[in-house]
Amino acid sequence: FFFFSSRRRHTRSSLVSWARRCVQETDVILCIKAPEYTPPRKDLMRHLFETHFTPLVVKQSFHWIVAIFVGIFLISGIVAIVNLPLGIDQKASVSTGSDIYNYFMAQEKLGDAGPPSYLIFRDIDYTDQKTLSNIFDLLDVLSAQSDTIQKPIVSWLKSFKMFLMESGDWAKTCGTQGISAYPFSEQMRRFVDIKINSDCCLRYGICGEQFVKDIIFDKGGEIETTRFRFQHPPLRCQEDFIRDLQATRYFVDQYHGKFKQTKQGEEKYKGKDIDESRQVFAYSLFYVYFEQYYYVRGVLAQNILLAIAAVIFATQLITSLISALFVAAAVLLTAISLIGVCYLSLIHI
C-alpha cells in the first residue's frame, strides 16, 4: 500500500512538473523576516478596576455609603424644588434696549419710587348701584394691602359722584344744575371737560380733566374702558416683583363676574373664554415680564411628565413594562439628585 501511494504521488508530481515545463512556469517562494516578538502592553485601567474598584464595590460598607449619599442628594433635591427661586435676573433675560429693559434699569436707578400700576374695567355699567358698590369694595380691599400697594388709589368715581350732586355748593360753579337729566355718557363728557385751572377744580376739587386719559369712549359715545391708578412700593429684587404681582392679581380676580356688563359688553364677550371676557384686571409694565411665573411651574411639571412617559414607552417596546417603570424611576431620581447636588454646591439653576 505504501509503495502504491508513493508511486502514485510521484507519478502525479511528474505530470505536474511536465505540465509546468510546457507552459514555462516557475515557482517563487518569498521569505519575510519576522519582527522580534514583544509582549502586549499591560492594560492599566483594567488592572486598576480588577485590583481596587471591583473589590471595593462588592463590600457592604460601600453600599451603605452610596445609599446615604443618594438619600442626601434626594432630600436636598426635594428641598431645592420646593424653595427653587423662579427665573433669573430680569435685566439678564430681556432684550437690551427694549422698553422692559429700560424700565428695569430706570427702576433700579430711581428705586425710591415704586412702579405705577392700573386697575382696568371693561364694558361695565357704572349706573348700576351694585356694580358701584363692588368697585368701592375692591378699592378698599386693595388699599388695605399696605405691603404691596401704596395709597391712594386714584379714582374718578368720587369726584364724579360729587359732580352729580345738584344740591352742592359747587352746582352753579361746576355747571351741574340739571345734570341728572342727561344720559350717563353725556354726564361723563361734561365731567372730563372741567379744566384743572377752573374755579370748580381750584375751589371744590372737582377736576375732571386729570381723568381724561383714564376714560375711553367707543364710537357710539359710550364708555368702553376706564382705569384707576395706583402705585406699588419700591421693588428691589425678583421676589418683590413676583409677590406684588401675585397678591394684586389674586385680590382683583376675586371680583371677576361681580360687575354688571353693558349691552355692548354682553354682545362683545358672548361665547368668549374667561381671559378674553375679563371685566377687571390689574396691569403694570413689569407684569408683562413676571406674568410667565404664573404658569412656569406647570410647564416644568408637564415637560417632566412627558419626558418620563417617553422613556417608559421607548423602554417598554424593547423590554417590558416593569423594566420601563424601573428605568423611568431611575431617570426621575437622577434628575432630582442632580438638582440636590446643585443646591448643595450653591449653583443657581
Side-chain angles (χ1 to χ4, degrees), residues 16-216:
V16 171
S17 299
W18 176 80
R20 287 180 176 177
R21 285 196 298 270
C22 291
V23 298
Q24 297 181 353
E25 182 178 347
T26 304
D27 292 333
V28 178
I29 300 176
L30 298 178
C31 298
I32 301 175
K33 185 179 180 179
E36 296 181 1
Y37 173 78
T38 55
R41 183 175 61 88
K42 191 175 183 179
D43 194 342
L44 179 61
M45 293 302 299
R46 183 175 181 178
H47 174 71
L48 293 177
F49 263 77
E50 291 178 351
T51 57
H52 297 87
F53 183 75
T54 304
L56 178 64
V57 169
V58 298
K59 290 183 178 180
Q60 188 174 6
S61 58
F62 181 79
H63 296 170
W64 282 106
I65 294 175
V66 172
I68 292 173
F69 274 96
V70 170
I72 292 174
F73 293 150
L74 286 177
I75 295 174
S76 301
I78 296 173
V79 173
I81 292 174
V82 174
N83 300 318
L84 189 65
L86 295 173
I88 59 178
D89 185 76
Q90 58 272 11
K91 297 189 295 299
S93 58
V94 297
S95 301
T96 304
S98 63
D99 292 339
I100 298 180
Y101 178 83
N102 295 333
Y103 169 80
F104 283 129
M105 294 301 294
Q107 173 69 23
E108 183 178 358
K109 183 178 180 181
L110 307 173
D112 292 337
S117 303
Y118 306 95
L119 191 63
I120 300 174
F121 295 88
R122 300 190 302 175
D123 296 296
I124 65 174
D125 187 0
Y126 297 97
T127 61
D128 182 68
Q129 294 301 318
K130 186 176 181 180
T131 296
L132 292 177
S133 177
N134 289 331
I135 291 177
F136 283 116
D137 288 343
L138 176 57
L139 297 181
D140 292 338
V141 169
L142 293 178
S143 299
Q145 311 306 315
S146 57
D147 294 337
T148 57
I149 294 178
Q150 288 183 337
K151 296 179 181 180
I153 298 178
V154 181
S155 165
W156 52 266
L157 278 177
K158 293 182 179 180
S159 297
F160 182 69
K161 191 175 181 180
M162 291 179 59
F163 175 75
L164 296 180
M165 295 176 61
E166 301 181 35
S167 58
D169 297 336
W170 53 85
K172 184 176 181 180
T173 305
C174 298
T176 59
Q177 296 175 341
I179 193 67
S180 58
Y182 294 95
F184 176 76
S185 57
E186 181 61 26
Q187 294 174 349
M188 183 61 69
R189 290 185 180 277
R190 292 180 175 238
F191 171 69
V192 297
D193 284 339
I194 300 176
K195 304 299 181 182
I196 295 178
N197 57 358
S198 64
D199 291 339
C200 181
C201 179
L202 297 176
R203 293 177 58 184
Y204 302 105
I206 303 177
C207 310
E209 188 181 25
Q210 65 175 323
F211 304 109
V212 68
K213 298 294 185 180
D214 298 331
I215 303 170
I216 299 177

Side-chain angles (χ1 to χ4, degrees), residues 117-120 230 245 248-249 252 280-284 287:
S117 303
Y118 306 95
L119 191 63
I120 300 174
F230 64 93
L245 165 63
T248 305
R249 287 282 178 86
V252 173
V280 56
F281 62 92
Y283 170 79
S284 185
Y287 291 5

Side-chain angles (χ1 to χ4, degrees), residues 280-300:
V280 56
F281 62 92
Y283 170 79
S284 185
L285 187 57
F286 74 90
Y287 291 5
V288 177
Y289 175 79
F290 288 102
E291 192 171 19
Q292 60 185 305
Y293 297 132
Y294 265 92
Y295 55 84
V296 66
R297 284 194 175 98
V299 173
L300 174 62

Side-chain angles (χ1 to χ4, degrees), residues 1-9:
F1 174 78
F2 176 78
F3 175 79
F4 175 78
S5 300
S6 301
R7 186 173 182 178
R8 187 177 181 182
R9 188 183 305 113

